[in-house]
Amino acid sequence: DYFAVRAFRSFPPSQVSPRDATTLARMPSSPLRDFTRSRVLGALERLSVPNAPTALLLDDVTRRILSSTCRMSELMEAGQLTLVDNIHTRPSERSTEGYMHVIYLVSPTAESIDAVIADYQEVAVYGGRCHILLSCRLPAERLEQLRGCPLLMHHVHTLRELNVPFISLQVCASPVGPLSLLPRWTPCPLGPSA
């Protein structure tokens, strides 16, 4: 698919999901995947401007969320997108075709918020409307950081939390013994619990 190659050109090959559209189509439907898909596609449809060039900028977290729930063609159609790119590439390396609306779909981390602000430091990289969609709750200090950039505040039309901070994974294997033999995992990044 041309759009999949074009859209994720800025992500390192090791971070691009090996799944293609046919694999995603074969995945069984799950309530979590359907919920995430409907939230993201619905938000993109509401923000789309017909016949206007629009860029969707993702960070690594939201790219993984989208690759587990949506096909590239669905994203492009729902948001009437011209470009899908990585937010962490330098603005000079991104394809900015003059006047363009932009939708940032990012997680509210310091790196992602800094990357959004960097696009509006001295001159706006994208001259059109700016929509910021967040995968989860925006901490107060990050909100103040966004408010501190007057050029960004001039362009922002939407700031919304989608509350989809998870990746829908397909269970590919079933246990072959009693459940007590499976390791216990904690939700924190520390790994298995004792």
Side-chain angles (χ1 to χ4, degrees):
D1 190 332
Y2 168 76
F3 291 113
V5 173
R6 167 78 173 105
F8 289 119
R9 67 166 175 68
S10 298
F11 289 104
S14 62
Q15 294 180 356
V16 176
S17 176
R19 246 183 283 144
D20 60 357
T22 57
T23 305
L24 187 62
R26 286 187 299 212
M27 286 184 176
S29 180
S30 73
L32 187 60
R33 184 176 293 120
D34 294 341
F35 170 77
T36 305
R37 186 169 171 258
S38 68
R39 293 281 293 198
V40 171
L41 294 179
L44 290 177
E45 286 173 0
R46 283 188 291 280
L47 297 176
S48 67
V49 178
N51 302 322
T54 305
L56 176 66
L57 297 179
L58 308 169
D59 63 2
D60 295 330
V61 173
T62 55
R63 179 196 46 82
R64 280 185 253 139
I65 290 170
L66 291 182
S67 69
S68 71
T69 58
C70 305
R71 285 188 226 122
M72 180 57 68
S73 59
E74 293 173 327
L75 289 172
M76 300 295 272
E77 183 180 325
Q80 297 186 7
L81 303 173
T82 307
L83 170 74
V84 176
D85 211 340
N86 185 345
I87 191 173
H88 296 295
T89 57
R90 288 190 300 258
S92 60
E93 295 176 2
R94 285 191 226 133
S95 299
T96 56
E97 302 165 358
Y99 185 83
M100 184 180 270
H101 300 296
V102 63
I103 301 171
Y104 293 95
L105 178 54
V106 295
S107 56
T109 61
E111 297 82 25
S112 295
I113 298 299
D114 288 342
V116 171
I117 292 171
D119 285 351
Y120 294 91
Q121 281 298 330
E122 297 171 11
V123 177
V125 174
Y126 300 97
R129 294 179 182 172
C130 172
H131 306 283
I132 302 173
L133 302 176
L134 301 161
S135 61
C136 56
R137 187 182 161 282
L138 180 66
E141 60 271 8
R142 303 282 175 255
L143 179 60
E144 291 305 318
Q145 191 178 0
L146 288 171
R147 285 184 181 163
C149 183
L151 187 57
L152 174 63
M153 290 295 99
H154 176 72
H155 286 274
V156 168
H157 284 256
T158 306
L159 177 63
R160 183 172 175 205
E161 298 167 346
L162 293 180
N163 296 319
V164 290
F166 41 78
I167 300 171
S168 324
L169 298 176
Q170 178 183 9
V171 177
C172 297
S174 58
V176 289
L179 292 177
S180 62
L181 296 177
L182 293 176
R184 290 186 177 176
W185 295 93
T186 61
C188 66
L190 299 175
S193 63

